[in-house]
Amino acid sequence: MSTSRTQDSLGQDSLVSVLMGSRSDLPVMEKASAVLREFGVPHEVRVLSAHRSSKALEAHVEAAASGGVEVFICAAGMAAHLAGAVAARTILPVIGVPLSASLCGFDALLSTVQMPPGIPVATVAVDGARNAAYLAVAILALKRPELAAKLKAFRDTMTMEAEGEGGRPS
Ligand code: RP5
């Protein structure tokens, strides 16, 4: 079994592995990366297709899981197999992001969310890259009080902004 560590651009061990099926998915998935950066979560971003690079995907999942990654975020469009293929190869939590590459993303949504019992994929909205990252942060925060505090502060700010001056329109 491979024991190589996966590191982010700053050389920190990645806690989240952000995967996508094609380079064309990057504009959407950069939003997940931005949220993870905001929370200071070390992560890696890779293009790996379930069907075009299945062997490399398998090797990556093994290396990432044994190297300290705790959550996978997997994004794909069309007949989106990536999240399910990763979930089949690890017991770590897998968050799926269906992408709107065709059919407004309904094809990818159903492919990602409709996993048979036993191999779940926690699926966010079509193109929901940011929510995938927030969910990953929430999972990591379960055993990291500092991250939990940051997430709570983020939510509090959102509430304050939504309520504005006592909820009155400005
Ligand atoms: C999926 O097919 C990818 O995730 C992408 O969303 C879609 C189209 O891929 P490209 O033809 O742009 O490489 O596998």
Side-chain angles (χ1 to χ4, degrees):
M1 181 188 287
S2 165
T3 53
S4 63
R5 309 285 291 175
T6 57
Q7 297 190 321
D8 71 0
S9 54
L10 300 175
Q12 295 172 290
D13 291 334
S14 297
L15 293 175
V16 179
S17 185
V18 180
L19 307 181
M20 64 204 82
S22 167
R23 198 154 281 281
S24 64
D25 301 329
L26 202 52
V28 174
M29 292 316 294
E30 270 169 354
K31 294 175 190 163
S33 205
V35 170
L36 293 172
R37 269 199 306 276
E38 231 174 89
F39 280 88
V41 172
H43 62 284
E44 56 176 21
V45 178
R46 297 277 170 85
V47 175
L48 282 167
S49 163
H51 44 279
R52 289 188 274 216
S53 48
S54 61
K55 289 218 168 79
L57 176 66
E58 184 154 17
H60 174 76
V61 173
E62 195 176 308
S66 63
V69 161
E70 295 184 21
V71 185
F72 286 92
I73 294 176
C74 301
M78 304 182 84
H81 298 114
L82 184 60
V86 170
R89 288 168 171 80
T90 178
I91 58 164
L92 291 171
V94 175
I95 302 169
V97 186
L99 297 175
S100 56
S102 59
L103 303 178
C104 300
F106 281 115
D107 45 359
L109 174 61
L110 293 177
S111 304
T112 307
V113 79
Q114 288 286 71
M115 284 297 288
I119 314 282
V121 167
T123 305
V124 295
V126 171
D127 295 336
R130 295 182 69 209
N131 263 3
Y134 291 127
L135 186 52
V137 170
I139 292 168
L140 296 171
L142 287 172
K143 57 176 189 183
R144 293 178 177 82
E146 273 179 30
L147 201 51
K150 273 190 202 173
L151 190 53
K152 177 83 174 54
F154 165 75
R155 292 281 186 97
D156 289 347
T157 305
M158 237 177 33
T159 303
M160 271 180 354
E161 283 170 4
E163 291 175 354
E165 290 276 311
R168 285 188 298 276
S170 51

